[in-house]
Amino acid sequence: MKAVILAAGRGERLSPLTDHKPKPLLKVSGKPILQYTIDTLKHAGINRCIVITGYKAQAIREFLGDGSRFGIEVQYSHNPEYVKGNAFSLRTARYLLEDEKIFLLIMSDHIVHKAIVEAALKNLCNAPLLCVDREPRYPPQIKDATKVLVNSENFIVDIGKNLSSWNAIDTGVFLLNEKIFQAIDYEVEKEVYPLELNRCVKRMISTGTQLWACDVSGCFWLDIDTQADLTFAEKVFKGVLDA
């Protein structure tokens, strides 16, 4: 299976740190966030990935190269119009996924334990799916988080940052298929930007594609959007990803 890493965004809320360096290359405990993502994939048994670049793409390419020094094969898809949103960025990788019935999608600004990816892969028969946390423990997991509403049959019926009714948090790890690109195409025709993944996932669900909630409560993950998040990550995560 291939993994797709979304690494195209500007990371404006981390300015001025991102004025001269792309967000995925900011360091936590001496290591770039993107390297944690690569290590997580490798330790979960995934050895091929597509990195979607946008802002300061060359810096990411120079850091990762072909992936050989990290023990993983890296391909690239570039979105020069990254300001149009992360779903628009994902769309650029479609041609590299033509032979993949299912692919794993992960965010380059999330630090996630390998157990989350392993849980997704163990539930391949339930794909498409989203790994969700029903018991978030840390403030950065809830603040500005994408929330989901899971029904009694364990399917996601709604997703978004401003849900009034929700019972889990999106961890940023998906198993997806061609249906997501059909939803993106539909939304692109509206030309309403930025086009975020949440909107396209919601469209996919509304047209009859069931999205299963893979419960990874208790597994470590953090979404890093601000300098406060970086500081918090330094304090809490040391050693966790090696457990």
Side-chain angles (χ1 to χ4, degrees):
M1 181 180 293
K2 281 185 179 178
V4 176
I5 304 173
L6 276 174
R10 169 70 174 79
E12 291 181 358
R13 286 187 288 172
L14 276 159
S15 183
L17 298 179
T18 52
D19 289 352
H20 304 290
K21 179 181 291 188
K23 181 179 179 180
L25 296 187
L26 296 181
K27 292 183 178 181
V28 175
S29 289
K31 190 162 76 171
I33 299 169
L34 182 57
Q35 189 172 342
Y36 289 111
T37 306
I38 293 290
D39 289 347
T40 289
L41 295 176
K42 184 178 67 174
H43 293 152
I46 293 179
N47 57 20
R48 298 182 301 154
C49 73
I50 300 165
V51 178
I52 302 178
T53 59
Y55 177 69
K56 296 197 176 295
Q58 188 58 35
I60 292 176
R61 282 178 172 267
E62 289 175 357
F63 175 71
L64 287 179
D66 63 2
S68 56
R69 73 187 182 100
F70 298 103
I72 192 168
E73 177 188 320
V74 176
Q75 294 177 290
Y76 294 94
S77 180
H78 182 62
N79 177 23
E81 298 180 282
Y82 56 87
V83 294
K84 288 187 174 181
N86 59 8
F88 196 85
S89 293
L90 175 58
R91 189 172 185 242
T92 68
R94 190 176 194 167
Y95 73 102
L96 293 173
L97 294 163
E98 290 177 347
D99 297 327
E100 307 293 320
K101 290 184 178 180
I102 298 171
F103 63 94
L104 186 134
L105 177 65
I106 191 167
M107 311 298 146
S108 65
D109 57 358
H110 284 49
I111 297 178
V112 301
H113 194 278
K114 63 182 179 181
I116 293 180
V117 175
E118 289 171 343
L121 298 179
K122 287 176 182 176
N123 285 283
L124 194 60
C125 61
N126 293 314
L129 62 80
L130 167 60
C131 292
V132 303
D133 189 347
R134 290 179 177 269
E135 301 173 356
R137 292 173 290 170
Y138 305 122
Q141 293 175 327
I142 302 172
K143 175 183 60 66
D144 296 328
T146 296
K147 301 168 181 66
V148 296
L149 181 62
V150 183
N151 68 15
S152 59
E153 296 177 323
N154 215 47
F155 290 106
I156 294 169
V157 295
D158 204 358
I159 183 169
K161 289 185 178 293
N162 299 310
L163 296 190
S164 58
S165 178
W166 56 277
N167 51 18
I169 297 290
D170 167 6
T171 68
V173 177
F174 294 80
L175 285 182
L176 295 170
N177 57 22
E178 172 65 19
K179 296 290 186 181
I180 190 61
F181 293 112
Q182 294 173 14
I184 293 172
D185 288 345
Y186 179 88
E187 294 294 337
V188 165
E189 290 183 3
K190 297 179 182 179
E191 296 187 346
V192 178
Y193 298 109
L195 178 56
E196 300 302 332
L197 188 62
N198 294 343
R199 195 166 106 209
C200 298
V201 169
K202 199 165 184 172
R203 171 68 190 174
M204 185 178 74
I205 294 170
S206 73
T207 54
T209 298
Q210 292 185 310
L211 184 64
W212 193 71
C214 180
D215 190 350
V216 294
S217 302
C219 297
F220 179 85
W221 68 278
L222 280 177
D223 179 4
I224 298 176
D225 288 320
T226 66
Q227 292 189 46
D229 294 343
L230 273 176
T231 301
F232 186 85
E234 290 276 1
K235 292 179 180 177
V236 302
F237 98 107
K238 289 182 180 179
V240 174
L241 295 180
D242 298 324

